[in-house]
Amino acid sequence: MSTTAWKPAVDGIKEAFHASFTTHAYPTHTHDAWTLMVLDDGAVTYELDRHEHGALVSAVTLLPPHVPHDGRSAYPTGFRKRVLYLDGTVLPDDLIGKAVDTPMLPDPLLRHRVHQLHLALDEPLEAASRLALIAERLRHRFAGTAPVVHADPTLADRLRQLLDASLPSGISLADAAQELQTSPTHLVRAFSRRFGLPPHKYLTARRVDLARGYLVEGRPAAEVAVLAGFHDQSHLTRHFRRVLGTSPGRFVR
């Protein structure tokens, strides 16, 4: 058995929980948050509101808040799972009934997006962007409708101006959406259509540009990381290498 839990710096996510269980069986319990779960190995059986359900690696499981459920491995070899507990700002309570009826969602795109979100939990803007698209897909999937596309030719350019003006610290997706009076998903889609990359990749590239300038001035990489808006030197190195194909140290040499 192994478990890891933490609070990501992402609005709407109360907790991230990664776990591997073999014999543990959850007793009947409830959460005050939405439980968004993907399995990486094994399978799970559980009762939700006194009805039997299963969870598979190929699907996404969404358990609603305040509804009793339990859980156990379907196989003797156990299971590995990744869970995000989402607060009420991400999904509305009026979806609880439909989530009780169909908690397992065989949706490959949704499964991929949840996986990507877990990989981006230490990147607030990227994680917020991915969470917004996941929440939109869940809402429209339960409603049986397609996302509404809003055409605003100025929206992407205005977001780019906000991102540039907020360097190096950046601006949260929620604050940008409030400033531009639109939704986070509209911002992400408009920016991606206009510039060919999502807002978080644009912001990272701008920070790498800042870092390049500081490095050629002769500043040490640890100082450059802070000045350019990265968490630390390893965070800078990871993105610097991804964008430029080399480390900060080799770049200046």
Side-chain angles (χ1 to χ4, degrees), residues 63-233:
L63 304 180
H66 312 302
V67 180
H69 61 277
D70 59 11
R72 68 206 65 83
S73 178
Y75 306 130
T77 51
F79 63 94
R80 285 189 298 116
K81 68 175 182 176
R82 288 177 290 167
V83 179
L84 295 173
Y85 294 101
L86 311 177
D87 66 29
T89 65
V90 179
L91 294 171
D93 284 351
D94 59 15
L95 295 183
I96 288 178
K98 293 186 176 181
V100 168
D101 294 338
T102 54
M104 189 174 74
L105 306 171
D107 184 332
L109 177 57
L110 179 62
R111 174 67 168 78
H112 181 63
R113 285 180 174 174
V114 174
H115 169 69
Q116 288 180 314
L117 174 55
H118 277 276
L119 298 180
L121 290 175
D122 62 344
E123 302 284 350
L125 182 58
E126 179 180 358
S129 300
R130 296 193 183 283
L131 179 60
L133 293 174
I134 288 168
E136 179 191 66
R137 189 167 184 85
L138 288 169
R139 289 193 299 266
H140 289 289
R141 182 182 178 89
F142 284 123
T145 60
V148 177
V149 177
H150 292 258
D152 181 347
T154 71
L155 188 58
D157 291 290
R158 289 187 287 142
L159 176 55
R160 184 171 68 171
Q161 291 170 1
L162 281 181
L163 292 172
D164 289 341
S166 69
L167 285 169
S169 59
I171 184 172
S172 73
L173 189 64
D175 287 345
Q178 183 175 14
E179 175 75 18
L180 299 176
Q181 297 184 328
T182 188
S183 73
T185 53
H186 296 157
L187 277 185
V188 174
R189 285 203 168 92
F191 195 94
S192 300
R193 284 195 304 267
R194 174 76 170 83
F195 298 113
L197 77 171
H200 70 268
K201 287 190 176 181
Y202 175 82
L203 180 62
T204 298
R206 293 287 288 111
R207 284 171 169 162
V208 169
D209 280 342
L210 285 177
R212 290 179 65 165
Y214 290 130
L215 287 169
V216 297
E217 289 177 1
R219 296 176 183 265
E223 178 185 353
V224 168
V226 175
L227 291 174
F230 294 97
H231 302 320
D232 51 31
Q233 186 173 342

